Each structure stands twice: as structure tokens, then as C-alpha cells.
Amino acid sequence: MIQTQLYIDGQWQSPIDQGTRAIVSPADESVIAQAAEATRADARLAIAAARRAFDGPWRQTTIRDRARLLNKIAELIDRDAEKLARLESLNTGKTLTESRTDMGDIAATFRYFAGLVASESGAVNEAPHHVISRTLREPVGVCGLITPWNYPLLQAAWKIAPALGAGNTVVIKPSNLTPLTTHHFTQLIDELDLPPGVFNLVTGGAEVGAELAESLDVDLVSFTGGAFAGESIMKAATGNFKRIGLELGGKNPNIVFADADLDAAVDYALNAAFFHAGQVCSAGSRLMVEDSIYDAFIGRLAERLPRIVIGNGFHGETQMGPVQSAQQHEKILGMVQAGIAEGARLVHGGKRPAGDVYKQGYWLEPTLLADVTADMKIAKEEIFGPVITAERFRSEEEALRAANDTPYGLAAAVWTRDLDKANRMSRALRFGTVWVNDYHPYFPEAPWGGYKASGIGRELARIGLDEYTELKHSYINLAPKAMGWFGA
Ligand code: NAD
């Protein structure tokens, strides 16, 4: 049985009150680990350690030291990639293929930020000859990083790599449902002999996250998760007006025009909605199809859905695993029922699959609800499960209006062969990412984040590093002379 500990000030330790939490496999509900469950008191120790490290020797590291560190972490991720992928699949239920892809993306993220950090240099500004004016980027300080359960180590990597690369110290709190890969990652960090306190792990629930958000000794909090927790973090952060980054939920339209390549659009409608059983912040669960092809499109999806292989993520033939928890399972089923009650037509799914292997665990059939209208709750709220809701539209204007009529703004996709329309739509859609004739690709080089209620700030890309820096104007007068403004 895996047992995890906290990592504070360079030491592995148990929580002060010896708290533990059973970690459960979503595939069969068996207990797979006992994780340390920290309290606010442990979080305070970790924050104090991170503060000391930031105010101490860590400030003297050079960009070369930190770029080397990120590259070394990438090497260790590659070395343990299979172990990490297996842990991620065990803890989240996602297929091993998806977890292996995550580990490749995580190593790439560290390498990308290593390259950016290495190329970092301040700017010398135009100024009078007796003045040296420079614009410098400096670390923000102690960073509290709070991550969700759907992409546990990937979301952590998007924060840890730029935070350490920019010269900050870190206290990370993964979701208490999925701490295993972040714990293993911390073991890799422990191999590196960093100064104590530069990297700290506190596994626990909302109260640990709240301590990070509230603490006056934390300078930046970066959170990925739901809107409810995001709002409370934003309010808590006002105590010292700390820097905040919020990556929140989405309600992401996948818009198919009649002139699209329909073979590709049908296929990608499945990828958009059912990767990781739909538990993706950018999942394209809100399908919008042009009227003239709507019935045929729904017919083609209806043929494909029963053929999706649901099963244990470790089995090679599995295409879709379970959802994360009993709570999610119940919530998703409840939303499907609410949709049917509002008038949506259940085409496929909406229940636990039949068969003994699906009796234990949080299994759901891939689900298709047709004849959904934009005013229904299921078209407005994030479902975060394997459910497609399909709406019909009659014109480009109608599609655009309905797609933008959401408080969220994370991602959207458009399927068309008309480049003019593709360009118009990508400009007019109010979302942080707009894909045309594709779904889901993201790169370390491209920014990730949401408009409106999908968040504040961006991760990845140049801006994903800048978020972890303060900008300073350094002005040195080499020949000071009295100004005489107020006389002699
Ligand atoms: P969640 O908000 O319940 O929890 C996220 C993290 O915050 C966990 O570590 C949790 O313990 C902690 N937390 C909960 N309440 C807190 C509080 N009051 N103060 C401080 N910390 C608190 O989210 P979840 O259920 O783990 O993840 C699913 C959500 O995350 C979905 O809404 C999804 O869309 C979103 N998400 C967004 C992105 C993105 O890039 N925008 C990526 C992945 C997931």
C-alpha cells in the first residue's frame, strides 16, 4: 500500500495531527493509498519554510542555475515516466495512453520554461548619459499552488516550472483525491538537493488551500479548479493583495457548419467530449450543429457511441475510463436527468454500463442528449463528465450569439471549409482558445486560460512565466547634482 507524507523544509514528515486519508481507485473503489492529510498548521510550517528559503540563499541563484534545474527535472520525469503514468492512471482512472501523453507533455513543459528562463535578460532603457535605467524581472516570492484532480501532475507542472524557473519558492497543494503523482514528483525534487524550503508539498483539502490563499506570507496564489473555490480564493487573497492566477471551468462550444469535413467533425466530436471521460476543463461537451446536417450528424454519433470501449485504464483496448468520484458520478447523472426533464432527448447512455465489472467504481456510459436548446441548464452549466449536449442552429449569427451567451470563455471550436467564415468566427468568439477544424491541441508555446468566468491570467507561453515575476524599474544616477527646485 502506498503511504504518502508531507514535504516541508526539505524533510519528509507526517501531519502534526497524524491525519491520513484513504485514496480510492475510481475503477473499483479499492483503497490504493493512505495519503497524509494536512491541516492549516502544516500549511503554515510549509509557508514559513518557503519564506525563509526565498529570503535566503535561493535569491542568489542565476538564470543558468534555474534553467539547469528545470532541464534536470525534465530528465527525471522522462526517467520515471512509466511509473508516473501508471500512478496517474491508478489514481484518476484515465487510460494509460492518456497518462503517458501527459508525462511527455509535462517533460516538454519543463524544457520549454528552461529555454525561456535561459534566454531571460533585463532591458536597458534609453536614458540620459549619467543614468543607468534598466527594466528587470524579479521573482514574486512565495507561491501557493493549488491543483485539481483531473490532470493532477500536468496542471502542477504548468505552475511549478515557471514558478521555480522565475526564482520563486513553492508550496503546492494537490487535490486530496489525487495526490499520488505530485507526491512522486516531490520525491524527484528530493533527489536534487535544493536548499530546504524551496519546494514544499502539503496534501490536504480545502482548508489547506484556504490557508495558502489567506496567508500574508504568500505572495502569489495560482489555482486551477472550479468557480466556487476560485471565488473564495479571490476573496481570501485580498488580505495582502497577493497576485492571483485562476484557471477555472468552461462551457465550450464545438460548432459544426454544414460545409465541414463531416468524417473528421464526427470523429473529433467524440474526442472533444470523451477524452478522460469528459473531465477536461476544455471539453467540447456543448455540440452545436447546423440545421441542414443536424439529424444526420446525430445519427452518425448514435452509431459510434455504443462502440466506445469503456473499461479499466490499464487494459490496452480501453478507450474511456470511469469518472473520478462517487460525488461526480451522482452529479453527472443528476444533470442528465435534469436535461431530460427540461425536454432534451436521450439518444444514448445516461446510466452506469451493464455488467459485473461496472458494479464497483464510478462508471458511466458515453451519453448523447439531442434537441437541447440554449436556455436549458445542461447547455449553460459545466457537466464535467462524458456527456454531449447537441443544439441546432440555423445561421452563423445564431451560432455565434448562442456560443458567446455563457459566463464562461475557456475554449471553442469551429468546423468549416470556408476560411472566411473560420476567420470571422475565430475573431468573434469570446474564448481564450479557438480551434478551427481540430479539438484539444495545446502547446507549451501557446497561452492557456479563459475569458470571463473561466479565469484570470494565463498559463504556458511567455506570459505563463511573466505571471510569476515582478517587473522592476532600476534607475541609477551616476552623477547626482542638487536640483535647486526649492532654492539653495
Ligand atoms: P475544486 O475547485 O473542487 O478543487 C480544486 C482544488 O482547490 C483542490 O486542490 C481543492 O482541494 C482546492 N480547494 C477547494 N476549495 C477550496 C477553497 N475554498 N480554498 C482553497 N482551495 C480549495 O475543483 P476540482 O473539482 O478539483 O476540479 C474540477 C474543476 O477544475 C472544473 O471546474 C474544471 O473545469 C476546472 N479545471 C480548469 C482547468 C483550466 O485550465 N481552466 C483545468 C483543469 C480543471
Side-chain angles (χ1 to χ4, degrees), residues 40 146 206-218 221 228-244 246:
R40 279 179 182 264
I146 304 171
E207 64 167 308
V208 175
E211 183 64 33
L212 293 176
E214 287 165 25
S215 170
L216 304 186
D217 273 327
V218 172
V221 65
F228 184 73
E231 184 184 342
S232 125
I233 284 168
M234 195 165 168
K235 286 181 180 152
T238 56
N240 61 341
F241 294 99
K242 59 174 63 65
R243 183 84 67 86
I244 55 171
L246 300 176

Side-chain angles (χ1 to χ4, degrees), residues 56-92:
W58 188 240
R59 286 298 300 278
Q60 308 308 321
T61 56
T62 63
I63 55 172
R64 248 178 263 162
D65 297 332
R66 300 197 302 266
R68 206 178 308 123
L69 167 69
L70 299 191
N71 277 322
K72 183 69 194 161
I73 293 173
E75 276 170 35
L76 293 177
I77 299 280
D78 284 345
R79 187 195 74 191
D80 282 11
E82 187 59 19
K83 225 182 261 177
L84 282 163
R86 288 182 166 274
L87 266 185
E88 201 75 298
S89 283
L90 182 69
N91 203 168
T92 63

Side-chain angles (χ1 to χ4, degrees), residues 88-252:
E88 201 75 298
S89 283
L90 182 69
N91 203 168
T92 63
K94 69 172 77 175
T95 66
L96 203 45
T97 314
E98 288 184 67
S99 295
R100 285 177 179 144
T101 307
D102 287 357
M103 297 314 141
D105 289 350
I106 289 164
T109 299
F110 277 94
R111 292 201 168 92
Y112 168 72
F113 281 111
L116 264 192
V117 167
S119 67
E120 190 79 329
S121 61
V124 178
N125 305 318
E126 180 64 29
H129 287 178
H130 65 283
V131 164
I132 300 174
S133 163
R134 291 176 299 161
T135 302
L136 304 173
R137 283 210 176 264
E138 298 192 341
V140 179
V142 174
C143 298
L145 311 180
I146 304 171
T147 51
W149 47 256
N150 58 339
Y151 283 84
L153 194 54
L154 186 70
Q155 298 296 339
W158 289 11
K159 300 181 192 303
I160 296 168
L164 289 181
N168 301 282
T169 58
V170 160
V171 179
I172 186 159
K173 190 208 87 64
S175 163
N176 57 1
L177 298 177
T178 56
L180 299 187
T181 47
T182 311
H183 182 261
H184 187 94
F185 176 89
T186 308
Q187 291 175 330
L188 302 183
I189 290 281
D190 191 41
E191 290 183 31
L192 294 174
D193 287 331
L194 288 178
V198 170
F199 185 93
N200 304 273
L201 167 72
V202 275
T203 47
E207 64 167 308
V208 175
E211 183 64 33
L212 293 176
E214 287 165 25
S215 170
L216 304 186
D217 273 327
V218 172
D219 302 292
L220 175 155
V221 65
S222 177
F223 166 82
T224 301
F228 184 73
E231 184 184 342
S232 125
I233 284 168
M234 195 165 168
K235 286 181 180 152
T238 56
N240 61 341
F241 294 99
K242 59 174 63 65
R243 183 84 67 86
I244 55 171
L246 300 176
E247 294 290 342
L248 307 175
K251 189 70 191 176
N252 314 293

